[in-house]
């Protein structure tokens, strides 16, 4: 029987990204540092076996073993032991939605390619074996070719090979992707030139007589062939000759006809990668051909995929799981409930879930919360000055000489995704909708084309990633609201369609079609289609919004973050308090993240950019000056040559936000000093251009346009060619960076003190001025961090107030962020109940600069905490002092007469019911006080 009781709740986690360059031994060596930093758990990226060379681990090929590229079983156990010895638990990032396919490493996938729908694993992948594309009947599209099939075949890059260890045959593409030949066709390969091969070929052709042991019999025969080829030279030579007969000569297509004929009869169809957009017949992770969706709702698959990770929970190696891409599953709630029921003991559980602005995490999900995308955007919103919105909007429109509302951009991008990368999935949904419609005379005239147009518009208008209709109960009020909204918007946009088609689809998507007996529709067909549409709307939103619109709408890119809402400029203090109070009441242990492996910009890049919201007029002057200088040098006074002005506008924001702290305030850097940063900027701009899909794409790069943009970047960051530009840029950059680090400290303090469980992404205990991945996955210098932590801890012990003042002045090296992080983590360790269970109390602020402060208290029994952070540093710099601004003392620890600032050690005496902001905060961006005993 599984153990019962409350799950272990981490105090704070530290995210580690495992890959071939950072394995189990490297992580084990960090255990003492992480203990000293003050976290309680390591939050590990996936470390189950993934495709060779995986840089992230999300392309798992075997859920039952560890990734050998990260180390051995013994090294893994040594890592776990090192963590435990230092008081650290583990939370693992687990991937139930999809697996890595292609290559030669996924045994389930290879078995499906070999046996087609007869494979024991055919039902484990989400494959349509009976698609409208009849050439794919009982076949699996394999869209891994870099050119047209015929061109690849003619070039000799589809090659038949014998596998002597297994006694099997497979076609290999580029020497990378293994495409097994079905044993039923081995006779055609083996031929009759050798008596033993003739005998075995005949045996293989008789496999259908061995049902239901066809696959087992085939393995026996393959083993016999392998043994003969290994033991007898004449047999091995005969096999090699047989293979050569089928392989042709590169450059002569007619010589490959025999192999082509054999390929046509297999359970797979090799194709150019672009064919996937129209003909893919397996569910993917988004539009990535190499990641195939799993049907985790199947009990046998669930048990198989979770057996190993459950063993790690049972022996105490793991104490928590983070579920990747929960919205990809057919039935997220059902999966989570099964996960809880089947696990051997209680564990901490969070889900990667992106919430729309009006959306709340489902109350009936048995989880501790989300991974914190909404928190990252909430905190950033607090730092963004809403007063600057009008100026920013005007400057952006004038600079790019146009612009359209963000909502229209999102809709257009989603439509583009459905017309291109994910057209095949839409075709299948429309086909199935038409089949449902034909079940009832009242709807039989809804054609596939009409339904496809309506479905496309509904999905384009969906205000959330997906709904959660499952047919077991009536849809929730939230699901009905979102479906109704999408339908209403779609009706307005697609006025050429008969309104009745939207009535039909509304009842289908809500399953109202089968809510009553004798509906005339198949309940199974309706419910399954509604759930499949939900699986489709999420990827369309992700690709359309995050991976396209966020790169087209560059008004203020600090807001263009995963889970963010670029059209909403700033979060008022009351709304901030309300969100925190709700989290404290319902999700007190949700993960709080400010940087992840998926964030578009590093946490301190965003915090620095937030400063610009306070100075829209100055930003307008600066950005127009920079553009004139850089374009004039290129002879482009009119500003019409590549890059376009939207990409240029993005470049200036990224340049300002990510400019290295060590190069700030030190004058004009040398060319060599800027080389590494210039390469990072080029990488970020290249990805941004291709994701935007305006002038270039990943599938069809426009090298001329790309070179225009990258040349622009190189010139801007070459002091020998753009000295005038840097003379103007650097003073402004220095000012913004100096103000921005104050925002960074606010962000750090809030994450470590608000209700929830904070996560520190690897390396971000120092400044995180990273750009979009892979820039945010660069190696971390842990030697530097270990040394700095020891140095900072010793200095604070000697003179806390003096050390804090010095670090505030010498902010460039990030020691102050590290000190604040370690100090607050230490207090969390000393007062765990205060942070895990403490009440949340907004603190009232009054006076002329009340909007510059956000304050709250946490209280649990006799323990209390008062947190005060200063907002809008540029406005405070322009008008110093707090005047008559005051804060009310909180109800928490109302009897405490003295409060000590945890970082500086300064003691504040409580006198009366309020305290002057000048006395409490002074010039500090952050004050975190606890009763001084």
């Amino acid at each position: 029987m599984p153990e019962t009781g409350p799950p272990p709740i981490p105090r704070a986690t530290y995210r580690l990204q495992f890959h071939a360059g950072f394995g189990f031994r490297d992580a084990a060596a960090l255990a003492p540092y992480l203990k000293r930093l003050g976290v309680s758990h390591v939050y590990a990226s996936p470390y189950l076996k993934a495709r060779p060379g995986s840089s992230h681990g999300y392309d798992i090929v075997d859920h039952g073993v560890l990734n050998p590229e990260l180390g051995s079983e013994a090294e893994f156990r040594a890592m776990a032991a090192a963590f435990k010895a230092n008081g650290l638990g583990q939370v693992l990032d687990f991937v139930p939605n999809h697996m890595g396919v292609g290559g030669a490493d996924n045994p389930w996938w290879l078995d499906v390619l070999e046996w087609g729908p007869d494979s024991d694993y055919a039902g484990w992948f989400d494959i349509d074996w009976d698609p409208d594309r009849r050439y794919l009947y009982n076949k699996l599209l394999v869209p891994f070719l870099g050119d047209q099939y015929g061109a690849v075949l003619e070039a000799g890059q589809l090659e038949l090979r014998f596998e002597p260890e297994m006694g099997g045959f497979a076609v290999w593409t580029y020497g990378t992707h293994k495409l097994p030949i079905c044993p039923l066709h081995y006779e055609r390969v083996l031929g009759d030139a050798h008596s033993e091969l003739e005998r075995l070929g005949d045996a293989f052709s008789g496999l259908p007589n061995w049902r239901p042991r066809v696959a087992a019999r085939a393995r026996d025969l393959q083993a016999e062939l392998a043994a003969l080829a290994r033991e007898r030279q004449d047999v091995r030579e005969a096999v090699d000759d047989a293979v050569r007969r089928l392989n042709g000569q590169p450059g002569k297509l007619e010589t490959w006809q025999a192999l082509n004929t054999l390929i046509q009869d297999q359970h797979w169809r090799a194709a150019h990668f672009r064919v996937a957009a129209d003909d893919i017949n397996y569910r993917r992770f988004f539009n990535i051909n190499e990641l195939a969706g799993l049907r985790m709702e199947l009990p046998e698959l669930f048990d198989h995929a979770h057996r190993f990770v459950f063993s790690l929970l049972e022996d105490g190696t793991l104490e928590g799981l983070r579920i990747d891409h929960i919205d990809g599953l057919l039935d997220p709630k059902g999966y989570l409930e099964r996960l809880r029921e089947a696990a051997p003991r209680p564990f901490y559980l969070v889900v990667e879930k992106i919430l729309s602005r009006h959306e709340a995490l489902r109350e009936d999900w048995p989880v501790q919360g989300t991974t914190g995308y909404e928190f990252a955007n909430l905190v950033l919103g607090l730092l963004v000055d809403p007063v600057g919105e009008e100026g920013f909007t005007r400057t952006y429109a004038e600079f790019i000489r146009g612009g359209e509302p963000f909502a229209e951009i999102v809709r257009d991008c989603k439509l583009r995704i459905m017309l291109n990368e994910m057209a095949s999935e839409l075709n299948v949904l429309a086909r199935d909708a038409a089949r449902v419609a034909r079940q009832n005379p009242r709807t039989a005239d809804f054609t596939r084309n009409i339904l496809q147009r309506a479905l496309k518009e509904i999905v384009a208008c969906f205000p959330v990633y997906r709904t959660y209709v499952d047919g077991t109960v009536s849809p929730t009020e939230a699901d009905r609201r979102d479906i109704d909204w999408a339908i209403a918007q779609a009706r307005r946009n697609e006025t050429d369609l008969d309104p009745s088609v939207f009535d039909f689809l509304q009842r289908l998507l809500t399953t109202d079609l089968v809510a009553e007996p004798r509906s005339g529709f198949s309940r199974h067909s309706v419910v399954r289609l509604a759930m499949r549409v939900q699986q489709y709307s999420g990827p369309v939103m992700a690709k359309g919004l995050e991976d396209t619109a966020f790169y087209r709408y560059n008004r203020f890119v600090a807001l263009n973050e995963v889970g963010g809402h670029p059209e909403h400029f700033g979060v008022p203090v009351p709304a901030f308090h309300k969100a925190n109070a709700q989290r404290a009441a319902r999700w007190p242990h949700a993960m709080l993240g400010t940087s992840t492996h998926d964030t578009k910009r590093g946490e301190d890049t965003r915090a620095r950019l937030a400063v610009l919201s306070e100075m829209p007029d100055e930003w307008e002057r600066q950005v127009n000056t920079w553009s004139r200088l850089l374009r004039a040098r290129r002879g482009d006074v009119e500003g019409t040559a590549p890059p376009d002005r939207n990409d240029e506008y993005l470049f200036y924001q990224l340049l300002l936000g990510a400019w290295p702290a060590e190069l700030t305030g030190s004058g004009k850097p040398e060319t060599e000093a800027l080389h590494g940063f210039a390469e990072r900027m080029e990488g970020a701009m290249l990805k941004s251009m291709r994701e935007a899909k305006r002038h270039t794409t990943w599938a069809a790069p426009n090298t001329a346009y790309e070179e225009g943009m990258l040349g622009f970047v190189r010139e801007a960051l070459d002091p020998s060619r753009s000295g005038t530009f840097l003379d103007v840029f650097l003073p402004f950059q220095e000012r913004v960076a100096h103000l921005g680090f104050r925002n960074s400290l606010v962000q750090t303090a809030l994450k470590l003190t608000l209700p929830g469980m904070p996560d520190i992404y690897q390396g971000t205990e120092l400044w995180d001025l990273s750009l979009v991945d892979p820039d945010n996955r660069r190696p971390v210098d842990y030697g530097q961090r270990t040394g700095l932590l020891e140095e900072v801890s010793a200095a604070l012990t000697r003179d806390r107030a003096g050390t804090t003042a010095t670090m505030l002045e010498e902010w460039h090296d990030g020691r102050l962020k590290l000190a604040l992080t370690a100090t607050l983590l230490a207090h969390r360790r000393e007062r765990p109940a205060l942070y895990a269970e403490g009440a949340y109390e907004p603190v009232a602020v009054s006076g002329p600069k009340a909007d510059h402060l956000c304050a709250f208290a946490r209280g649990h029994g006799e323990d209390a905490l008062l947190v005060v952070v200063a907002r809008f540093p540029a406005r405070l710099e322009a008008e110093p002092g707090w005047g008559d601004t005051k804060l009310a003392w909180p109800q928490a620890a109302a009897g405490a007469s003295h409060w000590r600032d945890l970082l500086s050690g300064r003691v504040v005496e409580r006198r009366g019911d309020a305290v002057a902001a000048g006395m409490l905060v002074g010039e500090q961006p952050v004050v975190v006080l606890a009763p001084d005993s």
Side-chain angles (χ1 to χ4, degrees):
M1 290 290 292
E3 294 183 19
T4 59
I9 303 298
R11 217 174 41 246
T13 55
Y14 191 96
R15 171 75 176 205
L16 290 178
Q17 292 293 120
F18 285 90
H19 50 82
F22 184 89
F24 299 140
R25 293 179 63 182
D26 302 295
L30 287 182
Y33 167 73
L34 297 178
K35 176 184 179 180
R36 185 162 191 177
L37 183 64
V39 300
S40 64
H41 286 70
V42 170
Y43 168 29
S45 68
Y47 50 54
L48 304 183
K49 186 178 181 181
R51 290 192 62 187
S54 175
S55 61
H56 47 72
Y58 288 94
D59 45 0
I60 290 170
V61 297
D62 191 337
H63 292 87
V65 294
L66 298 165
N67 189 344
E69 292 188 348
L70 307 180
S72 65
E73 170 80 17
E75 288 171 324
F76 173 76
R77 294 299 173 185
M79 177 189 74
F83 289 163
K84 287 189 176 182
N86 284 275
L88 301 170
Q90 280 191 67
V91 175
L92 176 65
D93 196 339
F94 186 73
V95 188
N97 175 69
H98 54 266
M99 292 185 80
V101 297
D105 309 285
N106 189 323
W108 301 351
W109 183 256
L110 294 175
D111 197 79
V112 172
L113 293 177
E114 187 172 18
W115 294 103
D118 292 327
S119 167
D120 290 342
Y121 308 107
W124 291 17
F125 295 99
D126 227 338
I127 300 169
D128 183 0
W129 293 106
D130 187 19
D132 281 354
R133 307 294 199 260
R134 301 315 292 167
Y135 80 95
L136 287 174
Y137 176 72
N138 277 349
K139 288 179 181 286
L140 182 59
L141 188 74
V142 184
F144 299 149
L145 304 184
D147 203 343
Q148 303 294 327
Y149 168 76
V152 176
L153 181 68
E154 182 177 10
Q157 293 172 325
L158 285 165
E159 181 186 23
L160 182 68
R161 294 180 185 177
F162 174 61
E163 300 181 313
E165 299 83 6
M166 301 295 295
F169 295 95
V171 172
W172 286 75
T173 67
Y174 310 115
T176 300
H177 299 292
K178 178 182 176 181
L179 304 173
I181 298 297
C182 179
L184 296 174
H185 301 130
Y186 277 16
E187 183 182 27
R188 296 162 59 181
V189 179
L190 294 171
D192 57 7
H194 190 288
S195 60
E196 290 288 2
L197 299 191
E198 183 181 26
R199 177 182 64 81
L200 282 173
D202 184 64
F204 277 112
S205 67
L207 283 173
N209 297 320
W210 287 80
R211 295 185 188 278
R213 295 194 67 255
V214 173
R217 174 61 175 164
R219 299 291 177 249
D220 293 340
L221 292 175
Q222 287 172 327
E224 184 178 351
L225 176 59
L228 281 170
R230 183 169 57 251
E231 296 164 5
R232 292 179 51 177
Q233 184 65 26
D234 62 320
V235 173
R236 178 56 194 266
E237 290 175 358
V239 171
D240 292 342
D241 288 342
V243 169
R244 275 193 294 272
R245 281 196 305 271
L246 285 165
N247 285 327
Q249 300 176 41
K252 296 182 178 180
L253 182 59
E254 66 275 8
T255 65
W256 294 93
Q257 189 55 46
L259 181 60
N260 177 56
T261 302
L262 178 65
I263 287 174
Q264 300 311 309
D265 292 333
Q266 301 311 304
H267 290 294
W268 44 265
R269 200 289 202 184
H272 188 266
F273 70 88
R274 290 191 184 178
V275 174
D278 292 323
D279 290 2
I280 195 77
N281 64 330
Y282 63 90
R283 185 172 63 86
R284 301 167 290 175
F285 172 71
F286 296 168
N287 62 341
I288 303 174
N289 297 337
E290 292 80 9
L291 295 176
L294 293 172
R295 298 179 63 201
M296 200 53 72
E297 66 271 17
L298 300 178
E300 298 84 1
L301 172 56
F302 179 95
D303 293 342
H304 190 104
H306 293 80
R307 187 171 296 125
F308 180 60
V309 76
F310 280 171
S311 74
L312 297 180
L313 283 170
E314 187 170 25
D315 68 17
T317 300
L318 293 179
E319 292 188 317
L321 293 175
R322 177 259 200 193
I323 303 302
D324 179 69
H325 192 48
I326 189 69
D327 276 350
L329 300 175
L330 184 71
D331 181 11
K333 177 186 173 184
Y335 169 79
L336 294 169
E337 290 176 339
R338 182 172 178 83
L339 193 64
R340 285 291 192 200
E341 293 166 1
R345 61 171 58 184
F347 63 99
Y348 178 74
L349 179 61
V350 290
V351 292
E352 184 200 27
K353 166 64 187 166
I354 299 173
L355 297 167
S356 293
R357 193 162 179 261
H358 68 277
E359 187 181 14
L361 185 62
R362 298 299 163 121
E363 294 276 346
D364 56 353
W365 284 12
V367 299
Q368 266 67 52
T370 73
T371 54
Y373 292 137
E374 70 280 2
F375 175 79
N377 289 285
L378 177 72
V379 171
L380 176 69
L382 185 71
L383 303 175
V384 172
D385 189 350
V387 175
E389 180 173 14
E390 182 179 350
F392 248 82
T393 303
R394 182 188 66 251
T395 298
Y396 178 50
E398 291 175 355
F399 189 92
I400 69 171
R401 301 169 184 172
E404 57 184 314
F406 180 67
E408 292 183 17
I409 293 175
V410 173
R411 175 177 171 270
D412 288 345
C413 290
K414 292 171 75 174
L415 288 172
R416 184 198 180 282
I417 293 297
M418 289 186 281
L419 286 171
N420 294 282
E421 290 97 320
M422 301 189 72
S424 180
E425 291 89 342
L426 181 62
N427 291 337
V428 172
L429 294 175
R431 177 201 69 187
D432 292 348
R435 289 175 177 173
V436 171
R438 288 195 296 271
Q439 293 173 3
N440 192 308
R442 291 187 178 89
T443 55
D445 285 348
F446 291 138
T447 66
R448 174 173 173 168
N449 177 59
I450 289 174
L451 290 165
Q452 182 158 333
R453 288 173 59 186
L455 273 172
K456 181 176 65 177
E457 191 61 47
I458 290 167
V459 173
C461 295
F462 240 69
V464 292
Y465 278 70
R466 63 165 288 173
T467 50
Y468 299 95
V469 175
D470 62 9
T472 60
V473 296
S474 179
T476 65
E477 182 180 338
D479 285 337
R480 287 193 180 277
R481 174 199 62 204
D482 292 329
I483 292 171
D484 290 350
W485 166 269
I487 295 283
Q489 297 298 312
R491 286 181 194 272
R492 282 195 281 269
N493 295 334
E494 270 285 9
T495 55
D496 290 339
L497 294 182
D498 190 301
S500 63
V501 72
F502 291 108
D503 296 334
F504 168 69
L505 288 174
Q506 184 170 32
R507 298 184 67 217
L508 192 156
L509 296 178
T510 58
T511 68
D512 287 348
L513 273 180
V514 291
E516 300 295 333
R518 297 185 296 278
S519 67
F521 296 97
S522 161
R523 178 175 180 79
H524 170 79
S525 299
V526 169
V527 172
R528 183 157 185 83
L529 178 56
M531 295 176 77
R532 295 303 294 267
V533 171
Q534 293 173 154
Q535 282 184 293
Y536 181 65
S537 66
V540 170
M541 176 74 93
K543 296 303 297 180
L545 175 67
E546 296 170 42
D547 292 345
T548 307
F550 276 7
Y551 293 96
R552 291 187 178 186
Y553 183 75
N554 295 323
R555 178 181 69 160
F556 186 37
V557 298
L559 301 176
N560 296 18
E561 194 49 81
V562 179
H565 312 287
E567 73 277 32
H568 293 283
F569 210 91
V571 173
V573 172
F576 181 78
H577 284 315
K578 180 180 179 181
N580 294 320
Q582 289 174 339
R583 190 184 324 107
R586 182 60 188 90
W587 308 105
H589 309 308
M591 186 176 283
L592 308 182
T594 45
S595 287
T596 76
H597 60 288
D598 278 334
T599 39
K600 307 290 187 187
R601 255 71 65 178
E603 59 189 53
D604 298 315
T605 305
R606 299 193 307 272
R608 180 187 289 180
L609 287 173
V611 173
L612 296 179
S613 67
E614 304 176 61
M615 49 178 73
D617 295 338
E618 177 64 16
W619 166 249
E620 180 182 21
R621 287 192 293 271
Q622 290 288 339
V623 77
N624 282 300
T625 300
W626 301 341
S627 183
R628 284 195 300 271
L629 291 171
L630 289 175
R631 287 191 178 270
R633 194 187 180 286
R634 302 182 128 217
D636 179 28
V637 178
E638 298 298 322
T640 56
D644 81 2
R645 294 182 67 82
N646 194 40
D647 288 336
E648 182 186 1
Y649 198 75
L650 169 66
F651 167 64
Y652 295 136
Q653 293 179 74
L654 297 187
L655 185 67
L656 189 67
W659 189 273
E662 64 271 19
L663 298 180
T664 299
S666 56
K668 189 184 299 182
E670 297 295 326
T671 302
E672 188 59 34
L674 274 177
H675 179 71
F677 179 58
E679 287 188 338
R680 291 173 53 210
M681 284 294 302
E682 286 186 48
M685 288 306 305
L686 181 63
K687 179 168 184 175
S688 299
M689 289 186 289
R690 291 183 177 178
E691 295 285 18
K693 306 172 188 70
R694 289 282 197 195
H695 305 287
T696 184
T697 67
W698 294 106
N702 180 343
T703 54
Y705 180 82
E706 291 177 356
E707 185 52 38
M709 179 75 251
L710 299 182
F712 194 88
V713 173
R714 283 191 287 269
E715 288 186 21
L717 293 176
D718 183 350
S720 67
R721 294 193 284 177
S722 59
T724 305
F725 160 71
L726 290 174
D727 287 340
V728 175
F729 171 79
L730 289 173
F732 183 69
Q733 182 278 324
E734 181 179 1
R735 181 188 171 206
V736 171
H738 181 262
L739 297 170
F741 93 84
R742 304 176 77 85
N743 279 344
S744 292
L745 296 178
V746 168
Q747 183 173 242
T748 300
L750 293 175
K751 178 173 71 174
L752 294 170
T753 56
L754 284 168
M757 192 284 297
D759 173 61
I760 299 167
Y761 181 69
Q762 60 175 27
T764 60
E765 59 270 37
L766 295 181
W767 300 133
D768 174 26
L769 298 169
S770 59
L771 298 160
V772 69
D773 70 272
D775 190 68
N776 60 359
R777 303 176 191 178
R778 287 172 293 146
V780 177
D781 186 346
Y782 286 110
Q784 176 200 29
R785 284 160 176 76
T786 300
L788 283 177
L789 182 58
E790 292 176 356
E791 174 189 322
V792 165
S793 299
L796 288 173
T797 300
R798 290 192 302 269
D799 179 7
R800 184 166 284 274
T803 298
T804 300
T806 300
M807 290 188 296
L808 193 63
E809 185 70 26
E810 301 172 357
W811 62 269
H812 301 76
D813 58 14
R815 287 181 302 155
L816 185 55
K817 185 181 181 185
L818 178 64
L820 180 62
T821 299
T823 296
L824 295 180
L825 285 174
H827 195 254
R828 292 183 73 94
R829 182 171 53 218
E830 295 164 5
R831 302 284 191 276
L834 171 63
Y835 291 94
E837 304 169 24
Y840 180 81
E841 178 189 347
V843 169
V845 184
S846 60
K849 293 191 175 180
D851 69 325
H852 282 277
L853 292 177
C854 176
F856 62 89
R858 305 291 307 278
H860 184 266
E862 297 300 314
D863 284 335
L865 192 74
L866 173 61
V867 180
V868 185
V869 298
R871 305 197 298 160
F872 312 146
R875 284 166 50 189
L876 286 173
E877 179 187 58
E879 300 179 14
W882 291 100
D884 194 32
T885 305
K886 296 180 180 179
L887 296 89
W889 285 104
Q891 294 298 311
S897 60
H898 292 79
W899 293 71
R900 181 181 297 274
D901 179 19
L902 297 179
L903 183 60
S904 70
R906 182 171 58 96
V907 176
V908 177
E909 183 178 1
R910 173 172 179 167
R911 295 178 179 176
D913 295 328
V915 58
M919 176 186 297
L920 192 63
V921 180
E923 297 182 1
Q924 306 298 311
V926 171
V927 179
V928 182
L929 303 110
D932 187 37
S933 51

